[in-house]
Amino acid sequence: RKAEKSGIVVELDTTGRLLPVYYQLYLQSLERWAAQQNEPPWLARWRGERRDPLRKLQNIARFMGDAFRLWVAWVDNEPAAAMIVLQSRNAHSTRSVMNKALAGPSRANMLLDRLAIEDACNAGCRAYHLGETGSSESLAHFKEQIGAEPHAYAEYRLERLPFTRLDRNLRALVKRVIGFKDA
């Protein structure tokens, strides 16, 4: 209610037209996450741009068609928050980003989540997945505020060579060296 009363303007894009706006917020979020985790900003940008390049998101939008839904919240004509939802029989919020200075006080993220969940319900979706929480207590708290319930599950990887274990050990070593803090 606070977000609705604050004059936030929300756009729903199903074509990928607003992906450059999303990506700018994503790059800002990488900087913020780097600072929170004591990670060098250049390393966070390199990892983030490698994991989720703009071209990848553009391809998702193109191939998913109407199932691709990009929500953007604007505060005083500035992008405050954005989220990508993939919606078919169920909906999956795959990534959310924000300008914390604008989105925090206005509660733009909560408004986007409410509208996306409402949209999924109206489309007949039976479930709405808010994405992985990992070990982030603050993210878990945010999701619980909007009605989410945690669900534990097992994750399996079948590999001929132990790449996952090698990758995990290498990441742990780098995190120790740079003083990384899981937020």
Side-chain angles (χ1 to χ4, degrees), residues 7-67:
I8 294 174
V9 174
V10 175
E11 275 187 84
L12 171 60
D13 168 25
T14 59
T15 66
R17 169 184 63 83
L18 292 174
L19 275 169
V21 172
Y22 168 90
Y23 210 73
Q24 195 58 41
L25 286 170
Y26 175 63
L27 295 176
Q28 288 177 20
S29 294
L30 290 174
E31 298 283 331
R32 188 179 70 255
W33 298 330
Q36 288 172 342
Q37 297 169 327
N38 196 38
E39 182 178 13
W42 65 266
L43 180 57
R45 271 191 315 277
W46 179 80
R47 287 185 327 107
E49 290 175 358
R50 187 169 162 253
R51 181 186 61 231
D52 289 324
L54 179 57
R55 184 89 181 130
K56 170 185 163 182
L57 301 174
Q58 291 167 331
N59 284 334
I60 290 171
R62 189 171 73 249
F63 292 123
M64 295 298 292
D66 288 343

